[in-house]
């Protein structure tokens, strides 16, 4: 049986630590360049935070109804069929989740190279070393992984608060004239706001991953909803505060053109020391996000193995450490291979948007389950059914926008996910019977 070692602080750290990776140090340029004013940019970040909170509330209710390892995989299985859930797990392992691990590890490596210079091969070695080290830590116990996650998240959030304070304290107010000029030249429309919102939503990615570890969370029916609400709120406030600091130091035009807005803002105030400070923050931030993703994913593979939809070998729980060590090692090995070969770039960029299809299905599944006799969640979404409906519409927009923007790559991504269906049908012929779920006890 898995060990219930994650409390409210650890679960909240998992939410915050996974969401805040590297995007907030880059994505503001995309959003500011897509809208005509500072206030429109703030509105985008707040709207993205609210929609993320909607998704988090949906996941919270489902996690309180099904507090088992697996998160979204379990929700889709219960609301629809094992086949739909299998497609999520299939995409997770081969591209989405392990691809995220590889991407974050490479961002971590590039910023480590600021302090310890290395070429492409050296940076890949840094990325592989990070994946191997965090895989080992999480194999050794969920408590150890949670402690590392909490420590890195506290350092990350503390550093962000300090940076916001430094930027406001040491920099004069930037010239607001570019804001007026851009507003006159490009008035805000529903289309431009929606495009910027999609970019904002990607900066909030990973909010659902805390539900994967429900079986290792103490009182998950209460802890996970609280962690999701608190965590998403902290992230939203942090994002708005950082953007306010960016606008205080740089003009909107400068932010829109920047490829490293956080470093540029720090450089403007601290010179070369600003680049070092921001690089260190990105190292800590990405390491925290990487640890959270490494911790979360294997719980879905564990659930698949229990259901007989993955090799039974992956369902093993370490007798001493009480972790799904084989699933963790399997994930780590594939992520290392993706980094080593560089194939993660092609796979991840083609498939990452498809998770929004499953998010829409998750919300639709909540509506289906609400009509099912015997469905008794400990927590229920307020504002039902409007919150799930709004979330479904927004998730559908993310998918359709991606397909319209890049039809060829999007269809290839859909094909990669769809390949899982014949694999599922083939697997069913010799699938092992499902294992009984463990007793739910704190």
């Amino acid at each position: 049986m898995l060990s219930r070692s994650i409390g409210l602080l650890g679960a909240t750290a998992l939410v915050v630590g996974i969401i805040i990776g590297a995007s907030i140090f880059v994505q503001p340029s995309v959003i500011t360049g897509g809208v005509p004013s500072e206030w429109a940019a703030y509105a985008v970040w707040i709207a993205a935070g609210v929609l993320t909170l909607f998704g988090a509330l949906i996941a919270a209710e489902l996690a309180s109804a099904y507090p088992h390892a697996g998160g979204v995989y379990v929700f889709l299985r219960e609301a629809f069929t094992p086949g739909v859930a299998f497609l999520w797990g299939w995409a997770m392992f081969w591209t989405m989740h392990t691809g995220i691990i590889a991407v974050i590890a490479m961002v971590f490596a590039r910023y480590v190279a600021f302090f310890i210079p290395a070429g492409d091969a050296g940076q890949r070695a840094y990325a592989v070393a990070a994946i191997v080290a965090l895989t080992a830590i999480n194999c050794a116990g969920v408590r150890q992984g949670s402690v590392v996650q909490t420590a890195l998240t506290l350092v990350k959030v503390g550093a962000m608060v300090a940076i916001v304070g430094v930027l406001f304290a040491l920099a004069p107010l930037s010239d607001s004239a570019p804001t007026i000029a851009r507003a006159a030249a490009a008035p805000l429309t529903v289309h431009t706001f929606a495009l910027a919102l999609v970019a904002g939503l990607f900066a909030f990615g990973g909010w659902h991953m805390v539900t994967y570890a429900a079986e290792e969370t103490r009182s998950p029916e209460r802890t996970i909803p609280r962690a999701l609400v608190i965590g998403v709120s902290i992230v939203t406030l942090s994002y708005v505060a950082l953007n306010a600091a960016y606008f205080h130091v740089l003009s909107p035009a400068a932010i829109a053109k920047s490829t490293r807005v956080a470093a540029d803002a720090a450089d403007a105030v601290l010179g070369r020391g600003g680049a070092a400070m921001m690089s260190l923050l990105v190292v800590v931030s990405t390491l925290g996000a990487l640890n959270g993703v490494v911790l979360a994913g294997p719980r879905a593979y564990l659930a698949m193995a229990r259901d007989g939809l993955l090799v039974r070998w992956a369902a093993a729980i370490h007798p001493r450490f009480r972790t799904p060590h084989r699933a963790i090692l399997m994930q780590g090995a594939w992520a290392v291979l993706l980094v080593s070969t560089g194939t993660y770039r092609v796979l991840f960029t083609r498939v990452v948007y498809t998770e929004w299809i499953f998010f829409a299905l998750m919300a639709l599944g909540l509506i289906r389950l609400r009509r099912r006799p015997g469905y008794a969640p400990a927590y229920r979404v307020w504002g039902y059914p409007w919150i799930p409906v709004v979330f479904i519409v927004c998730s559908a927009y993310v998918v359709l926008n991606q397909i319209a923007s890049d039809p060829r790559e999007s269809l290839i991504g859909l094909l990669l996910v769809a390949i899982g269906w014949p694999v599922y049908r083939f697997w069913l012929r010799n699938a092992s019977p499902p294992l009984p779920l463990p007793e739910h006890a704190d």
Side-chain angles (χ1 to χ4, degrees), residues 5-333:
S5 303
I6 302 176
L8 179 59
L9 178 60
T12 304
L14 198 58
V15 175
V16 176
I18 289 176
I19 295 177
I20 302 178
S23 293
I24 187 56
F25 308 112
V26 178
Q27 209 75 337
S29 298
V30 179
I31 291 172
T32 304
V35 294
S37 68
E38 293 179 27
W39 295 113
Y42 288 136
V44 169
W45 285 109
I46 292 171
V50 170
L51 285 173
T52 300
L53 181 60
F54 285 2
L57 293 174
I58 293 166
E61 175 172 329
L62 293 169
S64 75
Y66 306 105
H68 301 294
V72 177
Y73 169 83
V74 173
F75 308 154
L76 294 174
R77 181 193 67 198
E78 296 298 325
F80 299 101
T81 67
V84 174
F86 178 86
L87 289 179
W88 169 261
W90 165 270
M92 264 191 69
F93 180 78
W94 293 111
T95 54
M96 289 194 307
H97 200 85
T98 48
I100 289 173
I101 292 173
V103 168
I104 297 174
M106 283 304 300
V107 174
F108 164 82
R110 291 189 187 107
Y111 279 88
V112 168
F114 179 89
F115 302 100
I116 310 174
D120 183 66
Q123 290 181 28
R124 290 191 187 191
Y126 294 159
V128 168
I131 294 171
V132 170
L134 294 176
T135 294
I137 289 171
N138 282 280
C139 279
V142 70
R143 184 185 300 276
Q144 287 84 340
S146 181
V147 167
V148 170
Q149 185 67 31
T150 301
L152 289 171
T153 300
L154 290 174
V155 171
K156 179 193 309 188
V157 173
M160 289 172 63
V161 170
I163 286 171
V164 169
V166 168
L167 293 180
F168 272 106
L170 299 184
L173 183 64
S174 65
D175 184 6
S176 61
T179 301
I180 299 172
R182 291 173 69 234
L188 185 66
T189 65
V190 173
H191 179 66
T192 57
F193 187 88
L195 289 176
L197 181 60
V198 170
L201 288 173
F202 280 113
F204 281 87
W207 48 268
H208 59 289
M209 292 186 191
V210 69
T211 63
Y212 294 158
E215 207 168 297
E216 294 154 286
T217 302
R218 294 192 292 269
S219 302
E221 301 90 340
R222 297 187 298 274
T223 300
I224 289 180
R226 292 174 182 173
L228 282 165
V229 172
I230 295 170
V232 172
S233 299
I234 289 173
V235 172
T236 304
L237 289 173
S238 299
Y239 282 6
V240 171
L242 271 173
N243 277 274
Y246 297 156
F247 281 120
H248 183 74
V249 175
L250 304 171
S251 70
I255 293 173
K257 293 178 181 178
S258 176
T259 58
R260 51 177 205 129
V261 61
D264 285 346
D267 282 349
V269 175
L270 301 173
R272 175 66 177 174
M277 180 178 69
M278 292 309 306
S279 294
L280 182 59
L281 175 57
V282 174
V283 167
V284 174
S285 183
T286 51
L287 194 63
L290 182 60
N291 181 74
V293 179
V294 169
L295 185 155
R299 277 65 189 175
Y301 314 138
L302 170 66
M304 293 177 70
R306 284 174 171 172
D307 289 344
L309 298 180
L310 191 62
V311 288
R312 186 71 83 197
W313 173 87
I317 304 297
H318 195 282
R320 176 184 172 190
F321 302 134
R322 298 173 69 185
T323 58
H325 60 295
R326 291 176 179 172
I328 297 172
L329 291 171
M330 184 174 66
Q331 170 187 263

Side-chain angles (χ1 to χ4, degrees), residues 348-411:
F348 179 73
T349 54
R350 286 174 171 171
V351 179
V352 63
Y353 82 94
T354 59
E355 70 176 359
W356 288 89
I357 298 174
F358 294 100
F359 290 159
L361 288 173
M362 180 183 72
L364 179 62
L366 173 64
I367 296 173
R368 285 170 57 92
L369 289 167
R370 281 284 190 104
R371 300 172 180 173
R372 187 174 298 175
Y375 176 69
Y379 165 82
R380 288 180 179 266
V381 174
W382 50 265
Y384 180 88
W386 298 112
I387 283 181
V389 169
V390 170
F391 189 77
I392 290 169
V393 171
C394 291
S395 298
Y397 179 84
V398 170
V399 174
L400 294 175
N401 178 74
Q402 175 62 31
I403 294 173
S405 300
D406 195 345
R408 180 179 178 276
E409 293 298 306
S410 299
L411 291 175

